[in-house]
Structure formats: structure tokens, C-alpha cells
Amino acid sequence: MIGHHPERDRIKLENVLTALGNPMRLAVVRVLAGGGEHACGTVLSKEISKSTLTHHWRVLRDSGVIWQRSAGREHLLSLRREDLDARFPGLLDAVLCGVDTDPETIDRYAP
Amino acid sequence: MIGHHPERDRIKLENVLTALGNPMRLAVVRVLAGGGEHACGTVLSKEISKSTLTHHWRVLRDSGVIWQRSAGREHLLSLRREDLDARFPGLLDAVLCGVDTDPETIDRYAP
């Protein structure tokens, strides 16, 4: 794994909410919610700068929302769905449903 | 009403999540979730400065999480529960349950 990933019981609600409170990061979570690991260059629009992406991966990772690991030259991302569902039951599903009510905000950042 | 309150269908998920992604604001929401209107001097610890409180009321109000209105010399706050539940079903309940899993963070700011 790359960088800091909090253990399940150290995941804090306010950090998860802050991490999710951004349309780019919501766009990432919507892609990752489909399951599996995704190369980090594939989950957002190609027009977003590398430094911006790096910032968003860090926020999502440090808050406990995603796993991030190296595989060769790639960084792979996946959603910590099991941890989030265990820690804050219903939260992720409510957020994902909420995303679907306002897709135009999120679609701007789609790959 | 004081200041800007978005209409229900203009309440945006990322703004609500950002507003809730702060332990002081979660503490406020937990108090308001009990129902009714609360004078804004009564929902957080007396040790928090007026300018800090004013900032937090604005974030909660502008995002659509609370109503804020004047009544004489008081500002009264209430949770926009019906609007939030209609807009993002299950979100507020999941957040309030999440708050209860980590009360020590929030209790610091209790009145």
C-alpha cells in the first residue's frame, strides 16, 4: 500500500464526509463503487492535472475511503466499501444514491 | 430567515457533505436532530468564539443543512430534516448513527 491508510476503527466520520464533499472525489467514488481495482489514470477526466489528482488520492486515502497500492508503474485504487459499511452503515449507499440525483455535477469529471 | 438558504432542489450533495465534515458542525446537527428550534448560543460550548460560531452557522445554512432565523435578539436554528431526507434519503440518519460511534470527538463541543 502507498502512504497512510487508517485502520478500520480509526476511520473518522468527519474525515470521510470531508473527503466525499467534493464533486471530483464523488466522481471517483462512483466509479470505484462498481467494484475492483482501477488504475488511477482511468477514473477521472484526462484533463485533470497530475498534482490535482495526487491531492485527491491523498484525501480519499488518508480519510479511509480508498485503498491505494502500487502495481508496477501503476497506482491502483479501490473503495474500502467493507470498512465504510461496517463503520458507518448506510452512509456510502446514501451518498451514492445522492450522487445519482445530481449527475451533471459529477459527470464533468468522468473519464 | 437570515442570509441565504438554498431551496430544497438546489441543495447540493457535496455542500451538505462538506458542511457535515466537521466535528463542531456534527455536534450542532446532533443537537438539532432532537427537533425544534434552538437559540444559537445554546447548541455549542460557551467557549467557542462568536466569529467561529458565525462561520459555522453560515456553512450549515448556505449548504442547506439548517434554517436560521431571527426572533427578537436571538438567532434560532433548526435542522432542515424534511428537505435533507427528501433530497438525500438515508444520508442524515447514517450520519447521525455515525456520530454515535465516535461520541468523544463531538462531545468536546457540546454545550
Side-chain angles (χ1 to χ4, degrees):
Chain A
M1 291 293 164
I2 299 161
H4 173 66
H5 292 80
E7 288 176 34
R8 179 188 286 187
D9 62 359
R10 296 295 181 99
I11 296 175
K12 292 189 76 71
L13 180 62
E14 62 264 34
N15 296 344
V16 170
L17 294 170
T18 299
L20 297 175
N22 173 282
M24 275 195 215
R25 294 193 293 265
L26 284 173
V28 173
V29 167
R30 189 162 64 157
V31 171
L32 299 184
E37 287 183 306
H38 295 251
C40 66
T42 65
V43 292
L44 283 175
S45 160
K46 301 282 182 214
E47 288 165 28
I48 299 167
S49 74
K50 193 163 183 310
S51 64
T52 299
L53 291 177
T54 302
H55 164 72
H56 289 307
W57 307 148
R58 191 176 57 243
V59 174
L60 287 165
R61 187 187 67 215
D62 289 358
S63 63
V65 173
I66 65 168
W67 296 115
Q68 185 181 17
R69 70 176 184 95
S70 292
R73 289 184 177 187
E74 295 267 44
H75 283 188
L76 298 177
L77 311 178
S78 57
L79 191 60
R80 293 181 66 173
R81 175 144 217 159
E82 203 174 317
D83 289 331
L84 293 169
D85 286 348
R87 196 84 177 82
F88 308 117
L91 179 64
L92 197 60
D93 285 330
V95 168
L96 290 167
C97 287
V99 166
D100 290 335
T101 67
D102 186 19
E104 67 275 18
T105 302
I106 311 300
D107 284 346
R108 262 187 289 158
Y109 304 110
Chain B
M1 290 294 164
I2 299 162
H4 172 67
H5 292 80
E7 289 175 33
R8 179 188 287 188
D9 61 359
R10 297 296 182 99
I11 297 176
K12 292 189 78 69
L13 179 61
E14 62 264 33
N15 296 343
V16 171
L17 293 170
T18 299
L20 297 176
N22 174 283
M24 276 195 214
R25 295 193 292 266
L26 284 173
V28 173
V29 167
R30 188 162 64 158
V31 171
L32 299 183
E37 288 184 306
H38 295 252
C40 65
T42 66
V43 292
L44 284 176
S45 161
K46 301 283 181 214
E47 288 165 29
I48 299 167
S49 74
K50 192 162 183 311
S51 64
T52 298
L53 291 177
T54 302
H55 164 73
H56 289 307
W57 308 149
R58 190 176 59 242
V59 174
L60 287 166
R61 187 187 68 216
D62 289 358
S63 62
V65 174
I66 66 168
W67 296 115
Q68 184 180 18
R69 70 176 184 93
S70 292
R73 290 183 176 190
E74 296 266 45
H75 284 187
L76 297 178
L77 310 178
S78 57
L79 191 60
R80 293 181 67 172
R81 175 143 218 160
E82 204 174 315
D83 290 331
L84 292 169
D85 286 348
R87 196 84 177 82
F88 308 117
L91 180 64
L92 197 59
D93 285 330
V95 168
L96 290 167
C97 287
V99 166
D100 290 334
T101 67
D102 185 19
E104 67 276 18
T105 301
I106 310 301
D107 284 345
R108 264 186 288 157
Y109 304 110

